[in-house]
């Protein structure tokens, strides 16, 4: 049976551009979440857990401009392939507001396991990140 996770949407108020926020987020995950390693190249990001070399989730830039950066889910052992790929986006929605959203994510885990594990970790990590007031993102000197 094919299913996708419910969308995860967070908002934060920062003057930084969406691409700056995205890059900062991936660096923050790598530094602050002890069991996750985030590896970035110019157009790709992969998340590795517990020292496993194979990516748990791999993202690739689909589109980027001054107000949006959209990554599509291109693989990883925690994902399933569907015709319509999952999307992780950072978008300026108004003024200083950035919306960070995960949509159409297709977990490989059975729904009942995903909802009690991966989904919970994702929400905690995103909640910690959006509440963090980093001087870099606020346009202040660190």
């Amino acid at each position: 049976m094919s299913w996708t996770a419910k969308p995860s949407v967070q908002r934060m108020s920062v003057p930084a551009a969406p691409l700056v926020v995205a890059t900062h987020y991936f660096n923050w995950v790598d530094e602050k979440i002890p069991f996750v390693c985030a590896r970035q190249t110019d157009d790709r990001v992969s998340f590795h857990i517990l020292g496993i070399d194979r990516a748990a989730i791999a993202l690739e830039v689909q589109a980027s401009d001054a107000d949006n950066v959209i990554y599509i889910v291109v693989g990883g052992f925690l994902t399933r392939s569907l015709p319509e790929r999952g999307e992780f986006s950072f978008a300026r929605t108004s003024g200083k507001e950035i919306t960070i959203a995960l949509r159409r994510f297709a977990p490989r885990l059975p729904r009942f396991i995903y909802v009690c594990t991966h989904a919970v970790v994702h929400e905690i990590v995103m909640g910690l990140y959006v509440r963090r007031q980093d001087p870099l993102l606020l346009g202040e000197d660190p």
Side-chain angles (χ1 to χ4, degrees), residues 36-41 44-48 53 55-59:
V36 178
C37 171
R39 299 179 187 161
Q40 296 182 69
T41 63
R44 193 172 173 102
V45 178
S46 58
F47 294 96
H48 302 261
D53 193 47
I57 299 173
L59 308 171

Side-chain angles (χ1 to χ4, degrees), residues 57-77:
I57 299 173
L59 308 171
E60 202 167 90
V61 175
Q62 179 181 48
S64 181
D65 61 31
D67 291 325
N68 300 283
V69 60
I70 301 169
Y71 297 87
I72 55 170
V73 178
V74 294
F77 65 81

